[in-house]
Amino acid sequence: MDRTISNARQFCGTVSVPGDKSLSHRGLLFGAISQGKTRLTGLSQGEDVQTTARCLEAMGVRIERRTSEVIIDGVGLKGLRVAKAALDCGNSGSTMRMLMGLLAGQDFVSTLTGDASLSRRPMDRVANPLREMGAQIDLTETRFSPLRITGKKLKGIPYSLPVASAQVKSALLIAGLLAEGETRLTGKIQSRDHTERLLPYFGASLREDASSITIAGNQKLQGVSFDIPGDPSSAAFWLAGACVVGKGSVSLDRLLLNPTRTGFQRTLTRMGAQLIENVVVKAPELAGNVEVKGSMLRGISVAPHEVSSLIDEVPMLAVLATYADGITEVRGAEELRVKESDRIESVAINLRRMGVVIETFPDGFRIKGPQKLTGATVDSFGDHRIAMAFAIGALGASGDTRILNCESVNISYPEFFETLERLTLG
Ligand code: S3P
């Protein structure tokens, strides 16, 4: 599915973005291994989250989808059954990596596969520590999926995370729940902290300080009710749109405001946009309303330590940088090269097609703005966030922009283009 996006004269309205993808995966997974029922409202309807649900169902978990809620019948930590076929994780790195942690401690063998993009993403970062915990994991070409996990009795380990990845951290905390003794994570633990917040909500205890997270094994989880707030990574497109289209204004309600996820909002404020935030819910996750009024933006530098709090929003930031006055530079973002596409490369190819000069580095990019975007044909590279970032960029470009392969938006935001149309009509 290709889309043609034209220059927009206005951009305003109210949006309830879909439930957060990271929380949706975790709600399903933790609900599945709890005792009793878990009731989730606001679950993301994107393909990635449906993939997690289908994998759990393939292992015998009952998931009832009602109009406004999803009920998961927990089977307990060790109640999963071996799936009849390989578990297809589709495009979802979160599904594959967190399932690896869970399956490492089961007493059966599982095979995990994914689509072409997922099959190029590194899985050794999860497999290596899980092997130290005792699991047997066979990867393709020592790094990739398809992969096979022979579950074992795990033992807790101390482990220093070499990459700031919440997926790896979460996989190890889940495996830690199934292990004998304690698992203590140090190193690059500063990434989104939903697993650390939600596991205690489901009744498990964790110990955290500034440099470590420790979880003891053999703890039971108890089913909960949880209203999943809106996804800040989806909201980022509307916040950016209000700035791209002159004096746009957008209100977002029930948005997740966890500080490990709101780096894009902080960056946008530093660039000169006016954001007002109103906290409504405090636990287990901060959530509330956000209003943005677009204004002239200035370029900024994003430091390596800030990157993880806006990692999925960097493609949008790169496009936005062409509208800002001065230099925008992002460094320390080498993880972008191993996402659904190589996002530094995808962004650079598309921006150049639209006439923009961008300098890239192994770990980021530099753009001197403002530069006028010229409508052109660009590609999503099968990556949902690239498709959406360029759809927003196109709103301020001269002439029409054709975006190829836009079906990728279904991964996280199936109603993205409908909402875009509504906001540009004003
Ligand atoms: C996610 C963590 C991030 C992020 C991804 C979702 C999660 O990936 O990019 O979209 O839910 O834990 P990494 O853990 O690989 O950094």
Side-chain angles (χ1 to χ4, degrees):
M1 178 190 51
D2 303 339
R3 290 272 181 169
T4 300
I5 310 284
S6 307
N7 192 281
R9 269 193 302 272
Q10 55 179 350
F11 196 82
C12 59
T14 302
V15 188
S16 296
V17 295
D20 185 65
K21 186 156 82 72
S22 294
L23 287 175
S24 296
H25 285 299
R26 288 161 173 80
L28 288 170
L29 278 165
F30 300 161
I33 56 172
S34 290
Q35 317 279 329
K37 290 187 196 296
T38 286
R39 181 176 158 274
L40 302 174
T41 47
L43 190 80
S44 161
Q45 297 303 311
E47 279 174 11
D48 269 9
V49 169
Q50 300 314 313
T51 292
T52 293
R54 274 196 301 275
C55 287
L56 293 168
E57 287 175 314
M59 292 187 285
V61 179
R62 269 195 58 228
I63 300 176
E64 191 187 333
R65 294 160 176 84
R66 300 186 182 162
T67 323
S68 60
E69 60 183 17
V70 169
I71 314 279
I72 305 141
D73 229 334
V75 295
L77 269 182
K78 292 281 198 139
L80 295 172
R81 289 202 308 264
V82 61
K84 291 197 179 78
L87 295 164
D88 183 356
C89 301
N91 192 244
S92 177
S94 300
T95 306
M96 185 172 277
R97 294 190 175 122
M98 289 196 271
L99 277 183
M100 285 173 75
L102 182 55
L103 295 173
Q106 306 298 323
D107 49 15
F108 52 78
V109 180
S110 310
T111 302
L112 271 57
T113 62
D115 69 5
S117 152
L118 188 55
S119 306
R120 286 192 294 270
R121 299 179 64 186
M123 294 300 145
D124 49 341
R125 53 179 59 190
V126 191
N128 290 336
L130 289 177
R131 285 179 184 131
E132 279 183 42
M133 294 176 83
Q136 185 189 325
I137 303 184
D138 303 301
L139 300 177
T140 298
E141 291 165 24
T142 71
R143 271 198 99 185
F144 305 110
S145 60
L147 59 89
R148 198 175 60 167
I149 304 184
T150 308
K152 298 275 181 190
K153 233 176 158 351
L154 302 178
K155 58 175 192 320
I157 54 164
Y159 186 72
S160 174
L161 287 165
V163 277
S165 162
Q167 293 174 359
V168 178
K169 176 172 66 175
S170 301
L172 299 181
L173 290 173
I174 295 168
L177 267 182
L178 290 153
E180 204 60 56
E182 286 193 340
T183 298
R184 181 166 184 267
L185 303 179
T186 54
K188 297 195 174 173
I189 56 171
Q190 254 57 292
S191 54
R192 62 192 67 192
D193 63 359
H194 306 306
T195 298
E196 297 92 303
R197 283 174 191 266
L198 282 192
L199 281 178
Y201 189 57
F202 279 86
S205 63
L206 291 171
R207 291 200 313 278
E208 288 183 79
D209 59 37
S211 58
S212 71
I213 310 165
T214 305
I215 191 160
N218 292 319
Q219 300 192 57
K220 284 194 172 62
L221 303 186
Q222 195 59 51
V224 299
S225 281
F226 181 32
D227 181 31
I228 298 171
D231 194 326
S233 301
S234 298
F237 300 110
W238 310 134
L239 300 176
C243 300
V244 166
V245 186
K247 295 191 184 70
S249 75
V250 175
S251 303
L252 298 147
D253 57 15
R254 53 170 290 280
L255 193 64
L256 175 65
L257 296 174
N258 177 320
T260 64
R261 294 291 301 285
T262 49
F264 184 76
Q265 293 172 36
R266 288 191 290 276
T267 305
L268 209 53
T269 304
R270 278 207 286 140
M271 292 174 87
Q274 294 166 46
L275 262 82
I276 303 170
E277 204 181 275
N278 231 319
V279 172
V280 177
V281 180
K282 291 206 165 142
E285 288 279 4
L286 216 58
N289 306 323
V290 174
E291 268 178 58
V292 65
K293 283 202 183 0
S295 31
M296 289 296 291
L297 300 181
R298 51 184 176 270
I300 41 99
S301 273
V302 173
H305 75 268
E306 296 171 293
V307 166
S308 73
S309 68
L310 77 166
I311 186 73
D312 292 335
E313 291 73 81
V314 176
M316 188 66 259
L317 177 62
V319 174
L320 207 52
T322 66
Y323 288 90
D325 189 21
I327 292 173
T328 293
E329 184 167 313
V330 175
R331 300 305 292 267
E334 60 278 3
E335 275 295 298
L336 290 175
R337 299 227 178 247
V338 290
K339 294 293 179 187
E340 287 84 329
S341 70
D342 174 341
R343 287 185 173 159
I344 296 176
E345 208 42 38
S346 304
V347 159
I349 291 171
N350 283 346
L351 282 180
R352 285 178 186 137
R353 284 186 191 157
M354 297 181 82
V356 169
V357 178
I358 170 173
E359 187 182 355
T360 62
F361 309 103
D363 66 341
F365 59 85
R366 180 191 295 142
I367 293 169
K368 185 170 179 340
Q371 297 187 46
K372 189 76 195 141
L373 293 177
T374 309
T377 298
V378 298
D379 202 334
S380 82
F381 298 98
D383 184 334
H384 53 136
R385 305 221 189 266
I386 299 296
M388 293 186 275
F390 279 86
I392 297 296
L395 299 175
S398 60
D400 290 350
T401 302
R402 191 167 175 73
I403 308 172
L404 307 178
N405 303 313
C406 282
E407 59 283 354
S408 55
V409 304
N410 292 329
I411 289 294
S412 59
Y413 203 161
E415 66 267 36
F416 174 80
F417 283 106
E418 281 161 41
T419 305
L420 180 65
E421 207 167 302
R422 180 165 66 77
L423 292 174
T424 48
L425 289 175

